Amino acid sequence: MKILLADDSKTNLAFTTNCLIKLGHEVIPVTSGLQALEAFKQTPPDLVILDVVMEGVNGFETAKKIREVNTKNWIPIIFLSANVDDESIKEGIDAGGDDYITKPFSETTLASKIKAMQRIADMRQELIDTSNQLERLSSIDTLTGLYNRFQFERSLAQVIAASERHNRLMGLMFIDLDNFKLINDTFGHHMGDLLLIEVATRLKNCLRTEDFIARIGGDEFTVFFSDVESAENIGQVAQKMLDMLSIDFYLEKHNIRIGASIGIACFPSHGTTKENLLKHADMAMYHAKAMGRNNYQYFNEELNDKYRQHINIEYALKFALERNEMSLTYQPIYDITRHIIVGLEVLACWDHQKYGLVSPSIFIPIAEETGMITTIGNWVLRNACEQAKKWNLDQYENFKIAINLSSHQLLQKDFFEMVVDILNYTQLAPHSLELELTETIIMGHRTDVFKNVINKLHNFGISIAIDDFGTGYSSLTRLKHLSIDTLKIDQSFVQDVMTDPNSAIIVNCLIALGKNLGLKVIAEGIETEEQLNFLKSIDCLYGQGYLFSKPINAENMDVFLKKLMLTKEND
Ligand code: C2E
Ligand code: CA
Ligand code: CA
């Protein structure tokens, strides 16, 4: 067995380790609760033995934390303690422990206790295997009561065969909830489960009894319609589902809003095999996501082309940096009341010999999917800082160069150290750098890790901005706990302020909110004088957009800045 052993007394640790090795076990010895937790996260052992009395995090607290990080399978925990009274037994079992060994102990006691634990662990594993097997054999998804993936695939094969025989039109629908992961991470798995159950009920209510609905994965549902008159009928059902899901869910005193993206593929026009139909419905679903979520799309041959294009771009992107195809463009950010430049946003730009200029909105998501974003992002960071130093931007107190970051970059182990390195190397002052993170990154998963890095960067003097603000699922209380300096209001709201009263209200609220939190607020994507005037009228102080300037390459920015400096000197 692989045994994780924590004891802060080095002598005891050596003694027990020796015993365990003699008994033929593999041991990971550590000297504190925190180390035990780290080691546990890295490679989950088969058994944990914890000394109860330890400096810092004691054995009970360590057990509790282990149970928190590992909820899926139960790894047995045994406590070592010199005095085992009623109260501590209760506390230990409540903390998630399984047994006690009283110190001092003999090798025989240790061996027997481990044997007993092994027996229980084996039985538990057997139970898990059997229940998994049962689920495979059964046809029902235990959470929602809908059919499960196995049954779905079996039935789909049958219905395709029948449709072929009877020359019937059949439709397949692929439904994926939008931002489900975010809700799961924000409110916890329990709420996620409740939501899935509610969603399943609402979806089912949109169907006839002969339609077949299944949950085939976390937040993925599939439906097939065995005999339909036309493809349009399926679209109507999809719209009905979207309408039903757009009504707020009220779960345990929380109002939760969710949307879905739906892809549709029909037999025989979009595919004649199970694999093809599923793949095409899935592609159509991804297309719906790309179209801004919360909508439905039919499969079409163009999507196949897009898919191929995606693969080509993914391949070409691998060589973009080494072939010098990447460059940076800079979009000025203005103090809109005084009409002076207060910063530049750096945007990556890719010019490929065959595909021409590829927009970041196309290649950044691909770079994120494939993990290439860390290399590209780090390159952007280094180059932008070098350029900013060349332009001497840090001689101005309130001037910032703003760089977009992706979540993958923040998750790099030494991200903070790397940024510090770049600043040292380029000699750029930290106050000149602003890092933009999207709201979804900050509010999404791994918040603890992000919070940590964000705080470090902030304390070092670097500004932190939340990008595309208003589009994510933010909770104000969480915003308050982060070291943020700037909010960038998403351009979709700014562009609609004159035509959509809702957008105007939202922008107004976001600006008030930013002010309340003491943040700098920048409106993105200002294209017209009317929008600018409206923003000024509601006390928005900063903005960027085509009305002022499009992103400009380094050469032209050079000229632009020189002119600017000249006018400054002449002032
Ligand atoms: P973003 O951070 O929201 O950047 C603003 C985008 O809006 C840019 O598009 C910019 O050219 C565009 N824009 C600026 N003013 C206007 C306007 O008045 N009207 C309209 N319609 N658009 C305007 P771009 O360059 O295509 O970048 C798209 C997105 O790609 C960026 O959105 C950002 O999320 C991402 N991105 C770009 N460069 C990088 C990078 O170096 N690293 C990372 N991680 N992401 C990047
Ligand atoms: Ca940005
Ligand atoms: Ca933005």
Side-chain angles (χ1 to χ4, degrees), residues 345 404 436 467 488 524:
E345 174 170 3
N404 293 288
E436 294 191 2
D467 204 357
K488 298 189 77 170
E524 291 187 294

Side-chain angles (χ1 to χ4, degrees), residues 345-347 402-405 436-438 465-468 488 491 524 544:
E345 174 170 3
V346 181
L347 295 156
I403 298 175
N404 293 288
L405 284 190
E436 294 191 2
L437 302 161
T438 59
I466 301 194
D467 204 357
D468 303 345
K488 298 189 77 170
Q491 44 181 293
E524 291 187 294
Q544 74 189 94

